[in-house]
Amino acid sequence: MRIILLGPPGSGKGTQAQLMVQRYGIVQLSTGEMLRAAVAAGTPVGLKAKEIMASGGLVPDDVVVGIISDRIDQPDARNGFILDGFPRTVPQAEALDELLKQKHLKLDAVIELRVNESALLSRVETRVAQMRERGEEIRADDTPEVLTKRLASYRNQTEPLIHYYSERRKLSTIDGMMAIDEVTGAIHRQLVALGATEPKARAKSTSKSAARAAPAKKGAAKAKTTKKSAKTAKKPAKSAKEAAKKAVKGTKKAARKTAKKVAKKAGKKAPKKSVKKGAKKAAKKVTKKRAKR
Ligand code: AMP
């Protein structure tokens, strides 16, 4: 499932994207997050983007298109992704169409979160106050002045995408002024209508193991598969949820390897479906075992 979340700053795209990550097992690709990471790391892209972002402007199209193209190629995006904050201009949308075509991928839906502009300012003020309370660093572009500029750039450069995707029959508009869980429900209904399903094995194993597991550490759900985590993959899992994820990954890999070997011996290609089924069965077993411990 490949989805675009469209909406002005403060419309709740980030919040909804994170909820969708947990529900559908797909990744959130936020160009804003990636750019902030590049700024923090002082990479050439970060140096280019820093001032533009702080003033509420848009980073050049070629920079963000390049970032997204590379990110879509990562293995964790294979299951699907939610684009949050991209595309933001018609040329970016055209570039996305082109690169999805090259990669033989299909865009399933564009979800627009429609909000009342006057409410956005107070939403951002609340977010800043909450972050301050938690002692978190405040974004340089989370000020009323910069927000006004970001809203103007949304109106002028991003809103035309509503027409762009509506013409292509991809657009679903949802009232973003509803409570968070109501918005989540409305998005879910749209996605179900499009044929989206929650991955069964994942939903079962995570809910069972999560019920048994000790409360996860704050932020654990946000943990991404990085090189670092790959290195520490042999360490004991912190929660049943993590164990389940690792089990699925490990067993799938092992099953594929075995199937390849068998197929090689038989002089045939490994049957894809049975490999998947086998991996799922094996994963369930391991998940159950680990959750029991
Ligand atoms: P966001 O976190 O999505 O609000 O993005 C923060 C800032 O990053 C924006 O105000 C822009 O300066 C920059 N940015 C993020 N995504 C894009 C994009 N697709 N095109 C251009 N600039 C972007």
Side-chain angles (χ1 to χ4, degrees):
M1 167 98 356
R2 294 170 206 95
I3 306 153
I4 294 176
L5 272 184
L6 206 60
S11 58
K13 296 190 301 291
T15 305
Q16 293 301 332
Q18 278 176 22
L19 293 167
M20 288 159 81
V21 164
Q22 290 164 23
R23 190 162 196 173
Y24 306 108
I26 52 182
V27 288
Q28 173 190 10
L29 307 186
S30 154
T31 36
E33 287 292 331
M34 293 180 218
L35 288 167
R36 279 188 284 281
V39 170
T43 65
V45 165
L47 295 176
K48 225 180 193 178
K50 192 175 179 183
E51 293 305 317
I52 305 172
M53 289 173 76
S55 68
L58 287 188
V59 174
D61 289 341
D62 59 329
V63 173
V64 281
V65 171
I67 294 180
I68 281 292
S69 177
D70 290 346
R71 190 61 188 81
I72 287 177
D73 291 337
Q74 301 295 310
D76 63 347
R78 231 178 269 154
N79 256 350
F81 48 77
I82 307 150
L83 292 173
D84 161 15
F86 179 90
R88 254 178 160 97
T89 64
V90 171
Q92 286 181 21
E94 288 167 347
L96 176 67
D97 282 347
E98 191 49 41
L99 69 87
L100 288 179
K101 199 169 143 196
Q102 281 167 13
K103 296 177 201 289
H104 306 290
L105 299 174
K106 188 181 143 257
L107 180 68
D108 295 288
V110 179
I111 309 271
E112 180 209 355
L113 297 181
R114 192 163 287 182
V115 288
N116 173 351
E117 252 196 39
S118 59
L120 293 177
L121 198 62
S122 70
R123 270 198 188 181
V124 170
E125 277 168 357
T126 311
R127 181 168 77 195
V128 170
Q130 285 169 345
M131 287 173 79
R132 218 170 252 138
E133 249 174 45
R134 291 195 296 261
E136 290 170 11
E137 206 177 313
I138 311 294
R139 277 169 54 171
D141 56 356
D142 259 347
T143 64
E145 301 75 39
V146 181
L147 180 69
T148 308
K149 192 167 169 203
R150 287 163 69 201
L151 281 174
S153 107
Y154 180 80
R155 230 176 287 120
N156 300 330
Q157 291 170 277
T158 312
E159 253 179 18
L161 293 181
I162 293 172
H163 177 66
Y164 183 92
Y165 287 116
S166 141
E167 259 192 340
R168 286 159 181 75
R169 306 204 174 277
K170 295 276 181 203
L171 189 79
S172 297
T173 299
I174 282 168
D175 177 8
M177 298 307 294
M178 298 186 292
I180 293 178
D181 55 345
E182 285 175 317
V183 175
T184 309
I187 295 178
H188 183 63
R189 284 190 291 280
Q190 287 290 344
L191 297 181
V192 168
L194 286 166
T197 45
E198 291 167 62
K200 271 186 194 157
R202 186 190 158 87
K204 268 188 200 166
S205 64
T206 51
S207 59
K208 271 188 194 171
S209 48
R212 289 186 195 132
K217 274 191 180 173
K218 205 180 166 192
K222 272 190 179 177
K224 286 180 186 158
T225 318
T226 57
K227 278 184 187 165
K228 215 174 166 189
S229 67
K231 271 186 199 165
T232 54
K234 281 184 183 163
K235 283 185 185 170
K238 276 183 192 160
S239 68
K241 200 173 176 181
E242 276 184 30
K245 267 192 192 169
K246 279 181 187 165
V248 173
K249 266 193 187 170
T251 45
K252 265 189 186 169
K253 212 174 167 187
R256 246 183 262 131
K257 231 178 170 180
T258 321
K260 263 190 187 171
K261 269 188 193 169
V262 174
K264 211 177 171 187
K265 267 190 183 173
K268 285 180 193 167
K269 261 196 162 184
K272 274 185 186 168
K273 268 192 180 169
S274 59
V275 176
K276 252 192 181 171
K277 270 189 187 169
K280 267 189 190 168
K281 258 190 179 172
K284 263 190 189 172
K285 267 189 187 172
V286 178
T287 312
K288 270 188 187 168
K289 260 190 189 174
R290 291 201 184 178
K292 270 183 192 167
R293 274 185 218 157

